[in-house]
Each structure stands twice: as structure tokens, then as C-alpha cells.
Amino acid sequence: MTRVATLTIDGKTIEVPILKGKCGPDVLDVHALYQETGLFTYDPGFTSTASCSSGITYIDGDEGILLHRGYAIEDLVEKCDFLEVAYLLLYGELPDGSQRESFEQSISRHTMVHEQLRTFFQGFRRDAHPMAIMVGVVGALSAFYHDSLDIYDAQQREIASHRLIAKMPTIAAMAYNYSRGCPLPYPQNGLTYSQNFLRMMFAIPAETYQINPIIARAMDIIFILHADHEQNASTSTVRLAGSSQANPFACIASGIAALWGPAHGGANEAVLTMFGKIGTKQNIPEFIERAKNKNDPFRLMGFGHRVYKNYDPRARIMRKACYEVLGQLNINDPLLEVALELERIALEDPYFIEKKLYPNVDFYSGIIFKALEIPTSMFTVIFSVARTVGWVAQWNEMMADPAQKIGRPRQLYTGYEARKLPKK
Ligand code: SDX
């Protein structure tokens, strides 16, 4: 028996069906509301709006739980590598031996980019922000595959998805090397996904590059922690772009653009800049007061989250990884002390407690990136490499849905009513 909510408007009562998911909040199905009442729902920022149904990722913000296809993020980080998690997000189950082998082989067959794509980089200044390069070059990929892509053919969607997952690390490493005047790298497919990325990023053609297993494992953990996160701003952007049946490479480019903002994926870069401004533990109280001051635009970057009103489980894993990686690499980074003290003070402050503001995934990630010698400008680029797996998984889920239709929200109109042009 379907649960219903009743809505009485101007004396007229309608029933709104309540749909139940596997876990998490049920939803009011308002798709017929306008037809039945002539009213829209109104929810700028989508604080109470489910934009779709999905079985990929579940977040319980109050409990600080993150599941990918039902598996807890803590277990996936401990027991899987990034390509296994990528397979899980795409296909719904962890791969067995042969599935893992054929998936890895398919990804490795698509790691190179068309040689002509390399000329796109020449159009950028050397000091261009690498996220600007990612938006441009990934969008340009659509020019290389547009004609061979029937997005309603599951197999062609799969190839496009594997191409994107495979090429993002290559393009990211090319953007980094372009910015420092080094040759644009080529992948080496005998390496793992993370090893290949690190080698493309840092190998100097004139020298042999040694893979550091500690750094490669840390990279894999970072990729897993950033792979997918329900209907966040960039994933929603990819879904909306994809709903118009746009080319998937163009859709992922739109996701990269949305991720770049400091309120979203750009926060990891902003966190490290913030730590630099704070400098020492002695300065923390001043910045905490600024973050609480409504008249001051300063916010504690890496803190707060639309969904998590508890500790972001990814931040907890990232903090643990900070200790492990800095310890194994014998790095003593004073910024870690600043971060830990900042977290301690904030979590004891009534402002942050009342507003349920906790560290999110971006709060500690920059410290690990720094230990891996990744420049700040590349932090969000790496986020976009990992999140491409989530974006393509969500895009495929949407495109495979026979009920899929173009997303077209309405508005509350607050402009002029109809008026005549003034006589000339
Ligand atoms: C990511 O959605 C996802 O899943 C995103 C992500 C993913 O994996 O895809 O998890 C990745 O984007 C993590 C978030 C990274 N962004 C930051 O760390 C930037 C700093 N945080 C904020 O800008 C903010 O917390 C947001 C954007 C993350 C969330 O904003 P909301 O949900 O719109 O909440 P809000 O701005 O309405 O804040 C609620 C209150 C406000 O105070 P009041 O107006 O109610 O008095 O809390 C305050 C805010 O002023 N507040 C903060 C704060 N974050 C919120 N005050 C100080 N410092 C902060 N960081």
C-alpha cells in the first residue's frame, strides 16, 4: 500500500505519493504537482530535493556513513585498489579475477590520447590553471569521438566510460608537465593506475623513475576517497548535461567545471592556502573568529558539508593516512599540527557544534598531496581524475533508465510583468 501525504491548497486536497528507498529518507513524489495544482515546488540549492533515484552511493549525513554499492568506504579503502572500486561503481559488484583482468586491460588500452590532442596544450599559457586546461582538453575529446558514439548503445557507453577513466590521468599529467615546461608524458601500461599516474606526473625523460610504493598506495587511497559522492554539485551537473543526450566527454567537461569551485572540489586547494595564511597555531583563534563573523566572507575551508552533519568518514581516513604517509616518508610538516589544532579548537566551539560543521574530505587531503610533492594547483585536478569514475557511473545509470528525460527545472518569477517598449 503506497503511503501518501495530503496537501490542501485553497480548500482543495490532493494526495502526494511517498516513495520508499532501500535506506535513507523517503521522498514525496511531486512530479504531478504542477499539473494537479498549478504550483511548483521551490528549493534553491536543492536542500530538500532528490533529483533522481540511484543505487550507486548512499550517504547518511547524521551518522557519517558512506557506502558504495553497499560497501563501507572504510572497508573499500582497506581491502581494494582504485580500479576495483571503479569496477564496483560502474557495474554494481566487485570484480572477480577474470573481470578484474579484462577491465584493467580495457582501461590500459585507452590510456593514450590522440596525438593531435597534444597540440591543444599549445594554446594555453604555461601559467594557466590546470583546471582550465582540464575543462578545455577533456571537452575537446568530444571532437575525437562524436561521430562514433550512440549513447543509447550500452556497449558504446561502456567504451566511452573506459576511455574517460583511462585518459583523465594522462591529460592531468600532461597539464602538470605543460605548466612546468616539461615534455608531455606518455603512459606505461605495465604499471598500476596510480603508479602510471605518478610516473607520468613526475618522471623526467632523462632519468629512470622509481615508483615509491608508499606514495603509490597513498595515491590509490586518495583516488578511492574521491571516486563518487551521491548527487553533489558536479555529479548533478554531469547528469543534467547528459539528460540532454550530450556527448559524454562534453558532460564530463561540465562536471570538471562545476568541481573547480572553492565551495566544492576547489576547497582542497583553498584549504592549503588557508593553512598558509594561518601560518602558526597561535593565529588560529583569530581565523576561527573570522569564520564565525557574518560580516567577514572568510570561511573555514575544508569544514562543513551540505549532507554530513557529522564527521565526513573520508576526512577521518584521510587524517589517518596523513600520519601514516608523513611518518613513512619521514616528513614533519608543521601544517599538520596547524590542521589538528584548528580541528580541535573548532570542534569545541559552540558555533561549529550548533551548526554541525565538521572537517570534510578536503580538510586533510592537501597535507597528503603536499607530502606527495603535488603542487596546490593540481589538487582539484586529481579530485577530477578520481571523480570521473563516479561521474561516468552516474551518467550510465541515468542513460540506462528507460524513463530518462531531459532535466528542465522551473522558477519563481520575480521580474517585470508584461510591459510595452517606450516610444522612440
Ligand atoms: C565537497 O556535496 C558533496 O558531496 C561535495 C563533496 C563531494 O565529495 O562531492 O563532499 C566535496 O565539496 C566538500 C565541501 C568542500 N567545501 C568546503 O570545504 C568549503 C567550506 N564549506 C562551506 O562553504 C559549506 O560548508 C558548504 C558549501 C560545504 C556547505 O554549504 P551549505 O550546505 O550550503 O551550508 P550553508 O552555507 O548554508 O552553511 C550553514 C551555516 C551557515 O551559517 P548561517 O547562515 O546558517 O548562520 O554554517 C555556516 C554558514 O555560514 N558555515 C560555515 C562554514 N560552512 C558553513 N561557517 C564557517 N566556515 C565554514 N566552512
Side-chain angles (χ1 to χ4, degrees), residues 22-24 54-61 64-76 85 88-89 224 228-230 308 313-314 394:
K22 272 286 174 25
C23 38
S54 175
I56 298 173
T57 289
Y58 174 68
I59 305 172
D60 181 328
I65 290 169
L66 169 56
L67 308 178
H68 289 317
R69 302 285 190 181
Y71 295 115
I73 189 69
E74 294 83 356
D75 295 344
L76 292 171
V85 174
L88 173 70
L89 288 169
I224 292 172
D228 190 54
H229 210 240
E230 201 217 62
Y308 289 121
R314 300 168 298 173
Q394 302 264 353

Side-chain angles (χ1 to χ4, degrees), residues 253-270:
S254 71
I256 295 170
L259 186 75
W260 193 359
H264 188 16
N268 50 22
E269 180 177 350

Side-chain angles (χ1 to χ4, degrees), residues 47 59 225-226 228-235 259 262-265 267-268 271 291-292 294 298-309 312 314 351-352 355 357 360-362 383 387:
T47 49
I59 305 172
L225 291 177
H226 290 84
D228 190 54
H229 210 240
E230 201 217 62
Q231 305 311 320
N232 57 83
S234 52
T235 298
L259 186 75
H264 188 16
N268 50 22
V271 167
K292 292 155 55 175
K294 281 273 153 274
F298 174 78
R299 281 200 162 177
L300 216 48
M301 301 314 278
F303 251 77
H305 198 279
R306 172 62 58 78
V307 178
Y308 289 121
K309 301 310 171 190
D312 181 336
R314 300 168 298 173
Y351 173 93
F352 292 89
K355 295 181 188 299
L357 302 174
N360 59 48
V361 66
D362 296 309
F383 195 152
R387 188 52 58 89

Side-chain angles (χ1 to χ4, degrees), residues 7 10 12 17 87 101 119 149 222 241 258 303 335 370 407 412:
L7 196 53
D10 304 332
K12 182 190 171 202
Y87 187 96
E101 197 180 325
T119 60
L149 191 51
I222 288 169
F303 251 77
L335 288 186
K370 192 163 164 274
L412 176 67

Side-chain angles (χ1 to χ4, degrees), residues 211-362:
I211 300 280
N212 178 326
I214 297 165
I215 294 180
R217 176 62 185 141
M219 197 70 248
D220 225 52
I221 291 172
I222 288 169
F223 280 148
I224 292 172
L225 291 177
H226 290 84
D228 190 54
H229 210 240
E230 201 217 62
Q231 305 311 320
N232 57 83
S234 52
T235 298
S236 302
T237 302
V238 170
R239 278 182 171 261
L240 196 56
S243 75
S244 74
Q245 301 164 23
N247 175 297
F249 299 92
C251 295
I252 297 308
S254 71
I256 295 170
L259 186 75
W260 193 359
H264 188 16
N268 50 22
E269 180 177 350
V271 167
L272 219 69
T273 307
M274 175 183 76
F275 287 153
K277 282 188 189 143
I278 293 173
T280 63
K281 289 198 271 191
Q282 289 67 32
N283 296 334
I284 290 174
E286 173 209 337
F287 282 86
I288 293 275
E289 288 316 305
R290 283 190 58 195
K292 292 155 55 175
N293 178 353
K294 281 273 153 274
N295 302 319
D296 188 328
F298 174 78
R299 281 200 162 177
L300 216 48
M301 301 314 278
F303 251 77
H305 198 279
R306 172 62 58 78
V307 178
Y308 289 121
K309 301 310 171 190
N310 199 324
Y311 213 101
D312 181 336
R314 300 168 298 173
R316 189 174 285 112
I317 296 166
M318 204 68 91
R319 183 175 62 177
K320 179 168 170 277
C322 268
Y323 279 113
E324 288 166 1
V325 172
L326 271 64
Q328 288 159 356
L329 296 176
N330 274 323
I331 295 172
N332 175 21
D333 186 347
L335 288 186
L336 179 57
E337 293 310 309
V338 170
L340 292 167
E341 180 66 0
L342 183 58
E343 175 189 333
R344 186 190 66 76
I345 296 174
L347 293 185
E348 289 172 358
D349 185 296
Y351 173 93
F352 292 89
I353 294 168
E354 278 152 33
K355 295 181 188 299
K356 297 185 179 177
L357 302 174
Y358 291 85
N360 59 48
V361 66
D362 296 309

Side-chain angles (χ1 to χ4, degrees), residues 4 43 70 106-107 161 165 177-178 180 204 272 340 404 420:
V4 292
D43 184 17
S106 173
I107 296 295
S161 303
I165 294 170
N177 280 282
Y178 181 76
R180 55 185 195 147
I204 304 290
L272 219 69
L340 292 167
Q404 185 269 325
K420 293 287 183 203

